[in-house]
Amino acid sequence: MTDTAPVRIEPRERVALIIIDSPPVNAASHPVRKGLAEAIDRLQADNGFDAAVIACAGSTFVAGADIREFNSPPQPPHLPDVLFSIERSAKPVVAAIHGTALGGGLEIALACHARILNAKAAVGLPEVKLGLIPGAGGTQRLPRLIGMEAALDMITSGRTVRAEEAKSLGLVDAVAPDHVAAAIELAGRLVGGRLRRAGAMDVPAWDQAAFEAKAAAIVKKARGKLAEGKAIEALRLAAQSDIEKGMAAERAIFQELRAGSQSGALRHLFFAEREAAKVPGVDPKTARPVEAVGVIGAGTMGAGIAVACADAGLAVTVIETTDDALEKGRARIESTYDRMVKSGRIGAEEKTRRMGRLAFSTDIASLATRDLIIEAVFEDLEVKRDLFARLDNIARPGATLATNTSYLDVNLIADATARPQDVLGLHFFSPANVMRLIEIVRTTQARPEVVATGLSLARKLGKLPVVCGVCDGFIGNRIFASYRKQIDYMLEDGALPHEIDAALEAYGLAMGPLAVTDLAGLDISWARRKRLAATRDPRERYVEIGDRLCELGRFGQKAGRGYYLYANGQRQIDPDVTAIIEDESRAKGIVRRRISPEEIIDRVRGAIVNEAAKILDEGVAQRPGDIDLVMTNGYGFPAWLGGPLHEADALGLGKILQTVKETARRDGHGWEPAPLLERLVAKGESFASLKLS
Ligand code: 3H9
């Protein structure tokens, strides 16, 4: 073993300090597994050592198996075997954990005879988030240490557990500020004593009925996802089998899931997230510091943005035009925090601390010292341009100016100022303090450091930023508008709202699009249609059902009526809506026909993929993975399909193009196949291949 080896041993008197040093996150790659296996062999053979401590260099303990290796057949030594050799070691082995011990990393620690956690460290088994179950003993050793129900919660949620909780669960032996020193000291003390081997223990007494009730609820909530149910299957074995049998079964399930499409899709999203942060020409180090922000507008979006910023520790000034609107905004923000306290997410003191970061004013000039100002006022180009012209005279030089528009031309908004290079779009999703996605809209003149500032702010808020160019609706709302049109066509062609929603929910969407429209309010898209009416191409097929509903005041859930009727908190099919839809079909001379769930899904999928291909060709999105992230994080697209473009690749682009061509034949203008889609099919390539160019 050399100093550059991924695993080295540093003697600490009679304790072998085994250091894993494999940046960036010490993943248990093939070289790491090999190095660890050799280190354990040396521990057994070397009379100079009585015990060992496994620790890591760099920012974290082992963050899991090396996910990049999952696309190829596994190479020995396999992690479960290495872990058996640790657990069966006659000499004590103690894990010294800092950063995050995740997945295979925590499994290494569970195979040790004791675990010491740095006070700032955290542990977890996040495999289900990758469509997997722990594959190196996590489902077998964890319940033996912390009990069946606690293990069920940790493994099926994939959540990260901080030091204090890990200690109280019995997952670690001690929490210490100097975890390595404490582990070396403990390893010395364990020499000659009886070693605690998790694999040799029985699971503590457990309430089988309570476990099964929780398990059933978890499987129901997982909907189409397989991993949660499989993890439960493996967990049950911990109570029924010895460690060898349990681990063999766990391994078989792990391998089956690893080779399956769901895990492939979730791994694609994992890497897409990391890639989204990389924007050509934008150096993250150039981001401007942001400590104090201004939020203009305290409606639903503005209030949510203010909460997101205050949650992240920023000083926030909220601006409204009148005292009354300001007070309503303040109350809206306070009630958000009250709900967080009520649900136990934060304590009353934390609420006071976060509210203390917020200032409220009707004087826009009070934003003069802010580092970044986010506008969240009424969605109207002229209103926003006027506001930006005013801000230009108020904001300090070098401040970043952002608009939270969801459709409008950010270039035109930037042009209202004398500093368009400092302007960008920050498109939050509602509720802004909950939804992870932010589209960072890059104008033609925005300086790279302004884009870097948007990315850095998003990260500070714990959000997922995706950079896109300017167009009507950016990535997400443009694609949404396209497939919503196709849904309108299907209403006119013969489908009813509940049939469309049921088909798409069965496909995996979190909520049917017409139920979503009712929730968001029909008036929003009505206003947009009216805005675009003058420029709409007369050749475009236009469905008037939505307009009819709005004319009748059926603005959705808030009005008690939209595509559905809402009574006693229940969504119901409304015969009046059926009649309106049938009238509209008749008026257009359309003979209604049954539209199958398969056709509904195919037409929606075709519309999404075709529009996405246009967006890619225009350079509005940088890469297919960015589109997949937007659709899964902002529009309820099921993550286990990996996003629409990952799914399209899996289905075969030829099949999608065929649907798109049928759409073009039927619906005409505006539905022409995207040239990029045609090119990919002609060359036999996929969206994934675009990543390489
Ligand atoms: C598992 O363990 C299965 C076992 O049960 C069974 C085995 C038999 N592998 O996120 P970051 C890369 S499943 C490979 O930006 P952060 C990442 O791509 C695994 N690469 O940093 C990026 O590369 P690049 C269970 C990985 O500080 C760089 O590291 N474990 C892995 O914001 C930095 O990543 C997990 O699911 C990996 N496991 O967050 C944990 N992890 O610079 C997954 C990261 O080229 N990882 N990379 O873009 C994480 O949650 C976060 O990365 C972590 C650090 C919290 C560790």
Side-chain angles (χ1 to χ4, degrees), residues 44-393:
Q44 310 308 320
D46 194 330
N47 290 332
F49 294 130
D50 295 333
V53 163
I54 300 178
C56 285
S59 61
T60 181
F61 196 78
V62 176
D66 189 333
I67 305 167
R68 288 179 206 275
E69 289 181 358
F70 287 174
N71 292 337
S72 334
Q75 297 294 317
H78 303 300
L79 196 56
D81 299 331
V82 180
L83 301 196
F84 270 132
S85 72
I86 293 174
E87 185 166 64
R88 288 169 185 162
S89 162
K91 298 179 184 178
V93 184
V94 178
I97 300 168
H98 76 295
T100 42
L102 298 176
L106 178 56
E107 290 173 304
I108 293 175
L110 293 174
C112 293
H113 306 117
R115 289 147 290 279
I116 304 285
L117 205 55
N118 181 281
K120 290 188 193 141
V123 298
L125 291 171
E127 283 87 344
V128 289
K129 295 185 182 169
L130 295 170
L132 298 168
I133 66 164
T139 64
Q140 305 302 299
R141 292 194 177 99
L142 188 67
R144 285 173 159 90
L145 280 172
I146 70 170
M148 289 292 277
E149 282 185 58
L152 174 72
D153 163 55
M154 263 186 79
I155 292 174
T156 58
S157 69
R159 74 186 174 91
T160 302
V161 168
R162 307 213 149 270
E164 215 169 286
E165 189 186 354
K167 177 78 179 71
S168 71
L169 282 171
L171 178 40
V172 297
D173 297 72
V175 175
D178 186 344
H179 56 291
V180 176
I184 291 173
E185 195 266 331
L186 177 60
R189 268 196 286 131
L190 292 179
V191 175
R194 194 159 168 270
L195 296 179
R196 192 162 174 256
R197 295 182 171 88
M201 293 161 55
D202 290 328
V203 300
W206 59 302
D207 180 340
Q208 202 167 342
F211 176 94
E212 290 303 339
K214 282 189 186 155
I218 289 163
V219 170
K220 188 163 175 233
K221 197 165 156 229
R223 299 175 69 222
K225 287 186 284 161
L226 297 173
E228 285 77 355
K230 292 285 183 185
I232 293 165
E233 226 177 85
L235 266 170
R236 286 193 195 106
L237 292 174
Q240 295 160 2
S241 319
D242 61 28
I243 187 77
E244 285 84 6
K245 266 201 207 130
M247 278 188 58
E250 176 199 68
R251 181 83 178 158
I253 298 174
F254 171 83
Q255 295 294 18
E256 177 195 322
L257 291 172
R258 182 184 67 82
S261 64
Q262 292 200 357
S263 178
L266 290 160
R267 279 166 7 226
H268 157 72
L269 290 175
F270 176 85
F271 289 114
E273 273 197 26
R274 268 94 203 141
E275 235 177 297
K278 295 167 193 154
V279 184
V282 173
D283 179 354
K285 290 198 286 294
T286 61
R288 298 167 175 172
V290 174
E291 298 299 333
V293 302
V295 177
I296 306 176
T300 311
M301 282 314 289
I305 294 169
V307 169
C309 292
D311 286 355
L314 299 173
V316 189
T317 301
V318 179
I319 302 288
E320 260 297 353
T321 43
T322 64
D323 288 336
D324 185 42
L326 194 64
E327 176 45 32
K328 282 199 179 110
R330 203 202 57 76
R332 192 171 281 130
I333 289 170
E334 180 150 25
S335 74
T336 304
Y337 280 125
D338 286 339
R339 280 197 300 278
M340 286 191 209
V341 173
K342 205 167 162 213
S343 70
R345 259 179 300 155
I346 58 169
E349 274 174 28
E350 185 57 26
K351 173 196 153 183
T352 310
R353 232 187 327 270
R354 294 187 192 185
M355 281 299 288
R357 295 180 190 134
L358 291 147
F360 297 88
S361 174
T362 50
D363 180 11
I364 196 168
S366 65
L367 299 182
T369 56
R370 305 279 103 175
D371 305 315
L372 184 139
I373 300 167
I374 307 171
E375 160 283 308
V377 302
F378 188 62
E379 186 79 341
D380 179 284
L381 184 63
E382 285 318 310
V383 171
K384 290 191 194 269
R385 278 175 55 86
D386 283 353
L387 180 62
F388 270 73
R390 280 177 72 202
L391 273 181
D392 201 10
N393 296 323

Side-chain angles (χ1 to χ4, degrees), residues 302-502:
I305 294 169
V307 169
C309 292
D311 286 355
L314 299 173
V316 189
T317 301
V318 179
I319 302 288
E320 260 297 353
T321 43
T322 64
D323 288 336
D324 185 42
L326 194 64
E327 176 45 32
K328 282 199 179 110
R330 203 202 57 76
R332 192 171 281 130
I333 289 170
E334 180 150 25
S335 74
T336 304
Y337 280 125
D338 286 339
R339 280 197 300 278
M340 286 191 209
V341 173
K342 205 167 162 213
S343 70
R345 259 179 300 155
I346 58 169
E349 274 174 28
E350 185 57 26
K351 173 196 153 183
T352 310
R353 232 187 327 270
R354 294 187 192 185
M355 281 299 288
R357 295 180 190 134
L358 291 147
F360 297 88
S361 174
T362 50
D363 180 11
I364 196 168
S366 65
L367 299 182
T369 56
R370 305 279 103 175
D371 305 315
L372 184 139
I373 300 167
I374 307 171
E375 160 283 308
V377 302
F378 188 62
E379 186 79 341
D380 179 284
L381 184 63
E382 285 318 310
V383 171
K384 290 191 194 269
R385 278 175 55 86
D386 283 353
L387 180 62
F388 270 73
R390 280 177 72 202
L391 273 181
D392 201 10
N393 296 323
I394 292 166
R396 66 166 174 77
T400 302
L401 308 180
T403 168
N404 175 53
T405 177
S406 34
Y407 281 99
L408 300 175
D409 186 334
V410 186
N411 284 324
L412 293 179
I413 295 173
D415 282 346
T417 71
R419 43 171 133 176
Q421 70 280 359
D422 288 331
V423 177
L424 83 166
L426 289 179
H427 178 212
F428 287 78
F429 288 70
S430 186
N433 58 312
V434 176
M435 296 287 281
R436 269 187 86 216
L437 181 65
I438 300 187
E439 285 178 320
I440 311 265
V441 187
R442 188 179 193 172
T443 65
T444 44
Q445 296 193 62
R447 281 206 185 110
E449 69 256 33
V450 169
V451 180
T453 306
L455 284 164
S456 142
L457 174 78
R459 297 209 161 273
K460 207 175 229 175
L461 304 188
K463 302 214 177 275
L464 168 65
V466 173
V467 173
C468 59
V470 175
C471 69
D472 194 68
F474 318 122
I475 297 176
N477 276 343
R478 178 166 157 188
I479 291 177
F480 179 70
S482 172
Y483 75 80
R484 263 305 268 112
K485 260 188 217 169
Q486 201 46 240
I487 285 169
D488 283 344
Y489 297 171
M490 288 191 273
L491 288 175
E492 216 174 53
D493 290 344
L496 289 172
H498 65 278
E499 292 166 347
I500 291 177
D501 280 353

Side-chain angles (χ1 to χ4, degrees), residues 637-655:
F637 196 95
W640 46 264
L641 288 177
L645 300 189
H646 179 86
E647 190 205 20
D649 278 349
L651 290 171
L653 297 188
K655 178 179 177 319

Side-chain angles (χ1 to χ4, degrees), residues 379-668:
E379 186 79 341
D380 179 284
L381 184 63
E382 285 318 310
V383 171
K384 290 191 194 269
R385 278 175 55 86
D386 283 353
L387 180 62
F388 270 73
R390 280 177 72 202
L391 273 181
D392 201 10
N393 296 323
I394 292 166
R396 66 166 174 77
T400 302
L401 308 180
T403 168
N404 175 53
T405 177
S406 34
Y407 281 99
L408 300 175
D409 186 334
V410 186
N411 284 324
L412 293 179
I413 295 173
D415 282 346
T417 71
R419 43 171 133 176
Q421 70 280 359
D422 288 331
V423 177
L424 83 166
L426 289 179
H427 178 212
F428 287 78
F429 288 70
S430 186
N433 58 312
V434 176
M435 296 287 281
R436 269 187 86 216
L437 181 65
I438 300 187
E439 285 178 320
I440 311 265
V441 187
R442 188 179 193 172
T443 65
T444 44
Q445 296 193 62
R447 281 206 185 110
E449 69 256 33
V450 169
V451 180
T453 306
L455 284 164
S456 142
L457 174 78
R459 297 209 161 273
K460 207 175 229 175
L461 304 188
K463 302 214 177 275
L464 168 65
V466 173
V467 173
C468 59
V470 175
C471 69
D472 194 68
F474 318 122
I475 297 176
N477 276 343
R478 178 166 157 188
I479 291 177
F480 179 70
S482 172
Y483 75 80
R484 263 305 268 112
K485 260 188 217 169
Q486 201 46 240
I487 285 169
D488 283 344
Y489 297 171
M490 288 191 273
L491 288 175
E492 216 174 53
D493 290 344
L496 289 172
H498 65 278
E499 292 166 347
I500 291 177
D501 280 353
L504 292 169
E505 281 172 19
Y507 166 64
L509 288 196
M511 195 180 199
L514 294 162
V516 169
T517 309
D518 272 359
L519 197 63
L522 275 71
D523 42 336
I524 298 172
S525 44
W526 192 31
R528 181 168 177 269
R529 287 195 300 278
K530 285 195 273 194
R531 175 165 61 79
L532 295 177
T535 51
R536 190 169 48 239
D537 193 307
R539 290 170 297 172
E540 183 185 316
R541 178 175 175 189
Y542 185 75
V543 174
E544 289 173 45
I545 295 166
D547 299 347
R548 289 291 92 78
L549 297 177
C550 287
E551 285 155 14
L552 294 167
R554 304 189 64 113
F555 292 139
Q557 212 160 314
K558 62 188 167 195
R561 303 177 311 156
Y563 283 94
Y564 297 93
L565 187 66
Y566 296 85
N568 310 321
Q570 295 282 321
R571 185 184 308 131
Q572 297 167 10
I573 298 169
D574 189 339
D576 288 351
V577 175
T578 307
I580 291 169
I581 292 172
E582 287 172 353
D583 278 353
E584 285 299 314
S585 304
R586 228 182 337 268
K588 296 264 177 76
I590 294 170
V591 180
R592 294 178 65 79
R593 64 178 175 90
R594 179 180 178 270
I595 301 192
S596 69
E598 295 73 33
E599 183 178 340
I600 292 170
I601 295 165
D602 279 350
R603 283 171 71 169
V604 165
R605 192 193 278 126
I608 294 177
V609 173
N610 202 40
E611 198 62 33
K614 291 179 188 169
I615 285 174
L616 279 169
D617 233 4
E618 290 167 22
V620 167
Q622 297 180 88
R623 36 179 108 80
D626 287 357
I627 293 177
D628 286 336
L629 289 176
V630 168
M631 298 314 291
T632 47
N633 288 281
Y635 296 83
F637 196 95
W640 46 264
L641 288 177
L645 300 189
H646 179 86
E647 190 205 20
D649 278 349
L651 290 171
L653 297 188
K655 178 179 177 319
I656 310 274
L657 180 59
Q658 203 182 323
T659 308
V660 171
K661 283 181 172 165
E662 279 160 25
T663 305
R665 258 194 305 277
R666 187 187 50 241
D667 301 322

